[in-house]
Amino acid sequence: MLTEDPEKQQAAWDYISFVTGPEGQRIIVENTGYAPANAQVLEDRTYLGSYYDKNENARIAHTQVAQYAGPWYSFPGPEGVAVTDMIAAAMVDITEGADPEARVKELAQTLRMQLGME
């Protein structure tokens, strides 16, 4: 998508549209068992009805994921994933006995630097 070449942009858009659409999601679910990212395949039996007839537990799990999953938030910039990992590590530190107030203050300072907020 980020190319300046209009043909490559169109090809990328066609692929993204397909893979996130109901037919692409049907293929992904049937081949991987992953929960679909498009709710239409859960609501319209045309796509995965026979798959879910054979895999009732998958239908239940996928429906629950769709009901309770929210937007996928991430921190901006190239350090977004690292920031998430730092937060997780700090939580482990706290559960293992680190002083919560001191650890959160240290974490906040580190995250501001990582995210370019200072």
Side-chain angles (χ1 to χ4, degrees):
M1 275 320 289
L2 302 179
T3 181
E4 297 296 323
D5 182 329
E7 284 185 35
K8 288 180 180 177
Q9 284 179 338
Q10 186 61 52
W13 178 250
D14 291 344
Y15 173 75
I16 291 168
S17 296
F18 174 76
V19 80
T20 60
E23 187 60 26
Q25 289 294 291
R26 180 194 62 77
I27 293 167
I28 290 169
V29 170
E30 288 179 344
N31 286 284
T32 66
Y34 288 170
N38 185 322
Q40 187 175 356
V41 298
L42 289 170
E43 297 162 1
D44 185 343
R45 285 191 46 82
T46 304
Y47 298 105
L48 289 170
S50 62
Y51 175 82
Y52 286 140
D53 288 345
K54 296 174 194 161
N55 299 283
E56 179 66 14
N57 288 339
R59 183 192 61 75
I60 293 167
H62 294 172
T63 301
Q64 289 175 344
V65 167
Q67 285 177 317
Y68 299 107
W72 188 275
Y73 298 106
S74 63
F75 292 95
E79 298 299 317
V81 173
V83 165
T84 301
D85 291 342
M86 289 176 196
I87 293 169
M91 291 170 58
V92 169
D93 291 347
I94 291 168
T95 61
E96 291 178 346
D99 176 55
E101 187 173 344
R103 187 64 180 99
V104 168
K105 285 181 181 180
E106 174 191 352
L107 176 65
Q109 181 64 30
T110 302
L111 297 185
R112 281 193 285 276
M113 279 184 2
Q114 290 291 117
L115 294 170
M117 299 171 72
E118 286 204 335

